[in-house]
Amino acid sequence: MSVTYIDGIHAALGELLHDDPDVFIYGQDIGKFGGAFKATKGFKELYPDRVLDAPISEDAMVGLGIGAALEGKKPIIEMQFADFGTIGLNQFGNNAGAHFFRTGIPLNITLRMPCGGTPGGGPFHSQCLETLFAHYPGVHVLTPATVADAYVMMKDAVAIPDPVVFMEHKFLYRWLKADTFRDENPLPPGKARIARQGKHATLVAYSAMVPEALRAADELFAKSGYDVEVVDLRSVKPIDSDTVIASVARTGRLLVVSEDFPWGGAAAEVVARVVAEGFHLLDAPPMRLTAKDTPIPSHPTLWKAHRPTMESITAAIRHLLSL
């Protein structure tokens, strides 16, 4: 029997509530309804005082979480969509992010952000805004790309005594499956994973772009014999530059793939770090492949053309290997 990405998140939340009375979940329709994506289904009956429905005010939701964290609680704030999390950006970035720097007091708050596109989602329900939150000092941004990481990194997020944004990709919720969500040797948060070993090029990705990158790497090997190494960042704040640069040292070429918009994104940050710290290792100019610099289309065909896919990643790698 297989489990899904959303199963991993649900299991982790259930264990967090069971194991730690200071943990509570606050969000819109997360109680009896179980949340927009059913991540909290069944919890209200078990923990009626710690699974709490919120008003439609993301700014107030984050503010309440900050106040609770100041009193020693460990709030998990669920945004229905990451797009609407921007309404709480002032509270999270300016207030939560800077709090330890200003006071020396840690602030344990986790912001769960269902992010990324699905067919028909359109411009207000499909954005990947991880680097918008990562811009703020003092904030961690986790981007799990596997069922096991959805589980273990959800628990990691609450264990980190700082503000954490947990970017959970909606497309992966029920599409991504595995035999189990438990990992006997989990990596620490902030540590990248070599998802596939290779020698001809390094392909860096995170979140839902990791499965696309792995499919592209398999396609390239099957059809052309190109052996591409795939690095799953797992986190965009912090970024594990050491693992990326070590991979580039083995391959000499770099492509970074992100579903985020191009300007000021995590892909640009990775390229900048490799150029600054490992320029001598490159045999060709580094490349990045991102979503288009336009609002996200609603039509499924246009949506597919808007974001990187296995096909566009494959074409980009072929171009990189020709340089």
Side-chain angles (χ1 to χ4, degrees):
M1 182 179 178
S2 63
V3 291
T4 64
Y5 187 91
I6 193 72
D7 290 336
I9 294 169
H10 183 272
L13 291 172
E15 291 177 23
L16 287 163
L17 286 166
H18 178 270
D19 295 343
D20 192 338
D22 286 330
V23 170
F24 72 93
I25 308 176
Y26 187 54
Q28 296 162 16
D29 296 326
I30 66 164
K32 185 176 180 180
F33 188 67
F37 302 100
K38 305 305 178 186
T40 57
K41 184 177 180 180
F43 292 157
K44 183 66 174 178
E45 292 77 12
L46 296 173
Y47 309 99
D49 297 328
R50 292 195 286 136
V51 179
L52 307 171
D53 285 316
I56 304 177
S57 176
E58 289 77 10
D59 185 62
M61 289 162 59
V62 179
L64 181 144
I66 291 172
L70 287 173
E71 295 298 318
K73 300 300 181 183
K74 300 174 183 177
I76 302 172
I77 309 299
E78 178 186 309
M79 297 292 168
Q80 281 198 348
F81 293 88
D83 313 65
F84 306 144
T86 57
I87 302 170
L89 186 60
N90 172 59
Q91 287 275 24
F92 202 84
N94 289 328
N95 295 331
H99 191 268
F100 183 80
F101 174 79
R102 292 184 288 110
T103 67
I105 300 171
L107 198 71
N108 189 326
I109 178 173
T110 302
L111 191 61
R112 285 185 48 233
M113 300 270 274
C115 66
T118 55
F124 302 117
H125 299 81
S126 304
Q127 296 175 92
C128 290
L129 300 173
E130 55 276 352
T131 44
L132 191 62
F133 284 80
H135 180 75
Y136 285 90
V139 173
H140 301 252
V141 182
L142 307 184
T143 52
T146 68
V147 172
D149 273 348
Y151 168 77
V152 73
M153 293 177 75
M154 183 71 258
K155 300 185 79 171
D156 287 340
V158 177
I160 295 170
D162 296 312
V164 177
V165 180
F166 188 80
M167 305 296 290
E168 48 195 67
H169 201 289
K170 300 190 297 295
F171 187 75
L172 300 181
Y173 272 156
R174 290 173 176 83
W175 174 81
L176 192 64
K177 298 179 181 180
D179 292 334
T180 178
F181 48 72
R182 299 189 185 275
D183 188 342
E184 293 183 1
N185 298 295
L187 293 170
K191 179 67 175 176
R193 174 178 67 99
I194 303 297
R196 184 188 191 279
Q197 293 185 330
K199 60 184 180 182
H200 291 130
T202 294
L203 176 50
V204 175
Y206 61 92
S207 192
M209 290 294 101
V210 173
E212 295 289 336
L214 289 168
R215 290 172 59 211
D218 290 343
E219 176 84 359
L220 285 160
F221 185 76
K223 291 192 174 179
S224 305
Y226 294 133
D227 200 2
V228 176
E229 184 151 295
V230 177
V231 179
D232 173 8
L233 283 181
R234 300 180 68 247
S235 161
V236 299
K237 184 75 175 285
I239 285 176
D240 181 4
S241 302
D242 291 343
T243 296
V244 174
I245 291 173
S247 178
V248 172
R250 291 189 291 271
T251 68
R253 284 173 163 79
L254 173 67
L255 171 66
V256 189
V257 181
S258 167
E259 194 178 336
D260 194 3
F261 301 120
W263 284 87
E269 180 67 22
V270 172
V271 169
R273 292 187 182 202
V274 171
V275 170
E277 301 171 34
F279 184 78
H280 61 289
L281 303 171
L282 291 165
D283 296 328
M287 293 175 55
R288 60 189 172 122
L289 181 65
T290 67
K292 301 292 190 295
D293 190 25
T294 70
I296 299 169
S298 296
H299 192 283
T301 302
L302 294 176
W303 168 74
K304 186 177 179 180
H306 184 271
R307 69 197 286 267
T309 61
M310 181 196 76
E311 293 81 7
S312 61
I313 295 170
T314 300
I317 287 285
R318 287 187 184 280
H319 176 69
L320 178 64
L321 291 170
S322 73
L323 298 176

